[in-house]
Amino acid sequence: MSEADLLNVLPCDSVATKRRNSARPVMLVGFQHQGNLGLGYLASTLRQAGYSVMTCDFEASRAEIVRTALEGGPMIIGFSLIFQFYVKQFRSLIRELRDAGVDCHFTMGGHFPSLSYRETLELIPELNSVVRFEGEMTLLELADVIGAGHDWRGIHGIAYCEGDEVVTTPMRALVDDLDRLPYPERNFEPEAALGRKALPIVASRGCARTCSFCSIQTFYRTAPGKIVRTRKPAKVVDEMRMLHEERGITIFLFQDDDFPLFGPVWRRWAYEFVDEMHASGLSRRVIWKMNCRADAVEPEIFAAMREAGLYLVYMGLESGNEEGLKVLHKQITVVQNLRAVEILKSIGLLFEFGFMLFDPSSSLESVRTNLNFLRAVVGDGCAAAVFCRMLPYDGTPIKDELQRTGRLRGDVVHPDYDFLYPEVTELYHSLSNTVDVWGWVHGYQGLSPRLNWAWNEVAILARLFPALAGFAEYREVLAAITRESNEVLFDVIEKLLVLAESGGQPTWTNELLNARQERFLERLLQARNGFVERHRQTLLKALHPERIMDAAVA
Ligand code: B12
Ligand code: SF4
C-alpha cells in the first residue's frame, strides 16, 4: 500500500463509531449561491461522525454570521474560499468575528488557500490554519483533535504559522473512493426555474487535462492520489432518486470539472450511467446538465445521454484561434470546437460555453478570428454570446509564465497582465468602456445571462412540461432577440477592431448601447412573460406534487 493509500484510509463508516467530544459544533461559512457542494460534503462527513454543524452563507449579513458564531459557540469555524477574488472580503469578515470575541480555531479551505497557503496566511493572520486540498478527512481529524484538547499541529494536510515560519504538514491524499463519502448536505433552498427545482451534484472529481489557465488541474495534481475519481453510476442515480423523491428535484446540475465521457473507460461509465437512469425510471422524470470539453462530444453518446435526460451542455470552448488554444494549452483544435457545436445543434441539445476573447497571446488578428468563431457558433441566436478576458488565477501555469516573463500585473483580487501589443490593450479598454460588460455579458442581471436563462427555460419546457400551444413561435422570437443582441455585440467588436487597425471615429457609444440593451431586455421580458402568462394554468397544474412524478419527457 502506498503512502497516499495509507493516508486515505479513514473510512467514514468506521470513524462514525470512534469516541469523540462533539459537545461544541463546527461552523462552516461559504458562498452558497447555487449550492456549495464542498461545504455540503464537509458538513455531511462531520455530521456522520457525530458532530453538529452550522452552515452560514457568506452572503448573509455580517451581523447574522457574527450572531450565529457567538450564539453557537463553535469549536472551529471553517471558511470556504472558492473564488480567490473574495479573499479580502473573507478577511474583513474574519476580523469582524475576532473583534466580536469569537476566539475558536479558524481554518480555511478551497483552491486558493490550498495552492497559495503562504499568501492566505499572510493576508489573513487571524487564521489558525489552512486545510489543503480535499478537506473532508482533514477537517474531521482537526475537529477530533481540537475536541479532545490535543495539539492539532501534527495532523496531515494543513499549513499554519509558527512565528515567522509557515509550516506545512505532509499532504493528505485525495479521497480515493468517493462512494465512501456520505451524500453531501444541501441545507439551502434549491434554485427554481418555472417552478422546477434544481440542485447541484457531482459524479466525479478531478480533471485529467492540463489547461494552462485552470487551477483545477494544479489542485488535483499537487495532492497525492488518483487525479480523476468517478463515483459508481448506480450511486449517483441513487442520490438523484433520493433528491427527486424527498425534495421534488427535477433538474440536476452536474458540477464535475469534466463529466466522465472521454476515452473508452469513461465512455463506458457514461453508458452505464445512461442505463442506470433508464432502469431507475428517472430518465423520464428528471433532466440534467453537465460540463465537458468539446473533444468529448460525439453524436451517438450524446444522443443516448439526451434520451436519459441530458438537456443542457456547458463546454469550455475558450478560444477560436489556434494560437490562443495553444497558449491556453487546450490540446484541441478550432475544427474540433466547431464540430462539437455542430453535433449538439444537429441532435437538438442546447449548450452554453466559456470563451476568452482576449488571452495573453492576443493580437488584433486573433481577436478578429475569435469574433468570426463566435459568429459561427452563436450567430444563429441558438445561445447568447458571452466572452471575457483570461485572468491569471493563482496556481495556474499561465500565471507562472506571465510572472516569469515580467508581464504579470494586478493583485490577488484583480489578477492582470500586459498584452503583447499596445493596440490590443487599447482595443480591450475601448471595448470595456463601450460595452457595460456586467450589464450585458456577465452580471446575473446582464442581458446575455438572462437570454441564456430564457433558453434554459425553453429546454425545461420542452422536457418537463406538456406540449404548449405557440411554443415553436416563442422559440423563434427568443432566437431572433438573441441573434440580434449577439449581432450588436459582434458589431461593436468589429467596429472597434477597424478603429484600432485604421483609425477613425467610434460608431458605438456607451449610451447608445445601454439604450439597445434596455430595448432587448424589454422585448425579452415581454415575449417570455407573455408566453408564461398565457400558459399559467397549465404550467401550475403540471407542477402539482403528484404530477411531478408523471411529467413525461416530450
Ligand atoms: C460549482 C461552481 C460554481 C458555482 C458556485 C456554486 C457554489 N456556491 O459553490 C457558480 C456557477 C455560481 C460558479 C460561479 C463562478 N465560478 Co465557479 N466553479 C464551480 C466548480 C465547477 C465546482 C465547485 C464544486 O462544487 N466542487 C466540488 C466540491 C466538492 O469541491 P470543492 O469546492 O473544491 O471543495 C473541496 C475542497 O476545495 C475543500 N474545501 C473547500 N472549501 C473548504 C472549506 C474548509 C473549511 C475546508 C476544511 C476545506 C474546504 O474541501 C472540499 C471537499 O473536498 C468549480 C471548479 C472546482 N472544481 O472547484 C468552479 C470554480 C470554483 N469557479 C471559478 C470561477 C472563476 C467562477 C466565476 C468567476 C466564473 C465567471 N466567469 O463568472 C463565477 C464567480 C461567481 C461569483 N460569485 O462571482 C473558478 C475559481 C478560480 C479561482 N481560483 O478563484 C473555479 C475553480 C473553476 C476554474 N476553472 O478555475 N462556480
Ligand atoms: S479547463 Fe476544464 S478541461 Fe481544462 S484543466 Fe480545467 S477542468 Fe480540465
Side-chain angles (χ1 to χ4, degrees):
M1 194 182 266
S2 68
E3 190 196 14
D5 288 331
L6 265 174
L7 292 177
N8 202 33
V9 178
L10 256 178
C12 303
D13 25 23
S14 75
V15 281
T17 56
K18 194 170 156 178
R19 279 168 67 90
R20 38 177 58 98
N21 176 5
S22 55
R24 290 169 71 195
V26 176
M27 177 168 160
L28 299 173
V29 182
F31 180 74
Q32 282 284 35
H33 181 75
Q34 288 192 21
N36 186 319
L37 282 178
L39 282 192
Y41 272 107
L42 295 168
S44 60
T45 304
L46 287 166
R47 217 180 282 280
Q48 179 178 270
Y51 290 102
S52 51
V53 182
M54 310 183 297
T55 308
C56 264
D57 187 351
F58 173 65
E59 294 193 304
S61 77
R62 287 288 169 87
E64 192 182 325
I65 301 176
V66 172
R67 196 177 52 245
T68 308
L70 288 172
E71 288 175 4
M75 63 168 151
I76 300 174
I77 303 186
F79 299 91
S80 171
L81 178 67
I82 54 172
F83 308 122
Q84 79 172 56
F85 45 76
Y86 280 157
V87 67
K88 291 193 179 164
Q89 292 179 53
F90 269 88
R91 180 174 68 186
S92 91
L93 168 66
I94 286 169
R95 289 206 172 143
E96 229 168 285
L97 285 161
R98 286 289 191 230
D99 289 346
V102 183
D103 61 358
C104 65
H105 187 104
F106 281 4
T107 192
M108 181 177 263
H111 282 215
F112 179 76
S114 296
L115 297 165
S116 299
Y117 53 90
R118 275 176 201 287
E119 293 77 355
T120 305
L121 290 165
E122 225 166 76
L123 271 161
I124 316 177
E126 292 82 1
L127 286 173
N128 299 91
S129 65
V130 158
V131 168
R132 302 185 66 204
F133 308 104
E134 291 178 340
E136 286 89 347
M137 297 310 152
T138 310
L139 186 61
L140 179 57
E141 211 177 313
L142 197 60
D144 286 349
V145 172
I146 289 174
H150 296 149
D151 185 10
W152 49 267
R153 287 169 186 79
I155 76 166
H156 289 181
I158 61 169
Y160 59 90
C161 286
E162 205 154 69
D164 289 342
E165 293 284 298
V166 172
V167 181
T168 54
T169 61
M171 276 188 269
R172 190 181 296 273
L174 297 169
V175 177
D176 183 41
D177 181 358
L178 297 177
D179 288 325
R180 297 186 85 161
L181 294 175
Y183 294 161
E185 227 171 72
R186 295 175 174 90
N187 55 356
F188 46 83
E189 257 318 290
E191 292 232 312
L194 295 166
R196 297 285 184 193
K197 291 189 268 178
L199 279 179
I201 186 167
V202 287
S204 67
R205 288 190 191 174
C207 176
R209 310 307 187 87
T210 51
C211 304
S212 63
F213 58 90
C214 177
S215 58
I216 289 166
Q217 53 135 329
T218 333
F219 182 85
Y220 290 108
R221 272 190 167 70
T222 310
K226 199 169 160 205
I227 297 170
V228 181
R229 289 126 312 137
T230 48
R231 298 173 60 195
K232 285 189 195 61
K235 291 285 273 185
V236 179
V237 173
D238 181 62
E239 188 181 346
M240 293 167 82
R241 183 199 49 72
M242 182 201 73
L243 292 167
H244 177 63
E245 286 172 5
E246 292 177 8
R247 294 183 68 179
I249 304 303
T250 43
I251 304 172
F252 290 92
L253 310 170
F254 278 94
Q255 302 293 14
D256 302 44
D257 301 309
D258 190 22
F259 194 80
L261 268 179
F262 191 74
V265 174
W266 289 327
R267 187 148 320 188
R268 259 202 312 281
W269 187 97
Y271 274 119
E272 209 181 306
F273 175 69
V274 164
D275 290 345
E276 290 287 345
M277 287 295 288
H278 290 307
S280 67
L282 278 186
S283 54
R284 294 185 61 255
R285 295 172 179 175
V286 308
I287 55 177
W288 44 284
K289 173 198 171 188
M290 55 80 161
N291 314 317
C292 70
R293 284 171 50 105
D295 52 8
V297 179
E298 291 297 340
E300 193 192 319
I301 192 159
F302 272 72
M305 290 194 296
R306 185 196 55 200
E307 297 312 306
L310 176 63
Y311 82 104
L312 186 61
V313 177
Y314 175 90
M315 281 187 298
L317 298 177
E318 313 306 2
S319 183
N321 73 91
E322 302 299 347
E323 184 55 27
L325 290 171
K326 209 165 115 196
V327 164
L328 300 173
H329 208 251
K330 281 292 293 183
Q331 297 187 296
I332 203 168
T333 62
V334 177
V335 170
Q336 280 175 297
N337 269 346
L338 288 172
R339 178 173 176 267
V341 168
E342 279 315 306
I343 292 173
L344 294 180
K345 285 183 184 178
S346 72
I347 58 175
L349 268 172
L350 290 181
F351 67 92
E352 291 176 357
F353 61 99
F355 192 75
M356 304 179 192
L357 187 65
F358 296 89
D359 66 60
S361 70
S362 288
S363 61
L364 292 185
E365 204 187 333
S366 73
V367 175
R368 185 175 290 285
T369 314
N370 276 349
L371 173 62
N372 292 336
F373 176 84
L374 276 179
R375 282 201 161 108
V377 173
V378 288
D380 60 358
C382 67
V386 286
F387 51 80
C388 65
R389 168 191 189 165
M390 192 227 73
L391 294 179
Y393 289 120
D394 268 50
T396 60
I398 210 155
K399 182 196 162 190
D400 296 344
E401 178 60 15
L402 288 164
Q403 190 153 33
R404 195 185 63 76
T405 50
R407 291 170 61 199
L408 191 68
R409 299 285 173 263
D411 59 22
V412 59
V413 178
H414 302 288
D416 201 359
Y417 54 92
D418 288 339
F419 286 116
L420 286 172
Y421 310 100
E423 58 273 25
V424 175
T425 312
E426 198 142 313
L427 172 68
Y428 174 74
H429 287 305
S430 17
L431 183 61
S432 316
N433 293 336
T434 314
V435 183
D436 169 10
V437 181
W438 276 101
W440 197 310
V441 189
H442 290 307
Y444 288 126
Q445 299 300 318
L447 178 58
S448 289
R450 288 219 223 181
L451 282 165
N452 279 340
W453 179 256
W455 278 112
N456 186 43
E457 282 186 345
V458 161
I460 293 168
L461 282 169
R463 308 288 289 263
L464 289 177
F465 286 92
L468 300 172
F471 182 58
E473 289 77 9
Y474 169 55
R475 234 187 124 121
E476 268 169 36
V477 171
L478 187 57
I481 301 172
T482 314
R483 195 165 51 238
E484 288 169 43
S485 155
N486 289 351
E487 191 42 53
V488 169
L489 285 177
F490 299 156
D491 196 54
V492 175
I493 303 169
E494 176 86 55
K495 297 269 166 47
L496 289 172
L497 269 166
V498 172
L499 203 69
E501 282 158 354
S502 40
Q505 288 301 310
T507 337
W508 287 102
T509 61
N510 187 259
E511 294 69 34
L512 202 55
L513 275 173
N514 286 346
R516 288 301 295 271
Q517 181 198 325
E518 280 300 312
R519 182 73 197 106
F520 282 128
L521 216 48
E522 268 168 36
R523 280 172 63 195
L524 169 64
L525 293 181
Q526 214 172 25
R528 186 270 178 196
N529 292 350
F531 183 74
V532 170
E533 198 48 48
R534 272 201 301 287
H535 295 288
R536 195 184 175 78
Q537 290 313 322
T538 322
L539 295 174
L540 284 173
K541 218 162 122 199
L543 284 178
H544 200 264
E546 300 96 70
R547 311 241 1 215
I548 288 183
M549 309 291 285
D550 299 332
V553 176

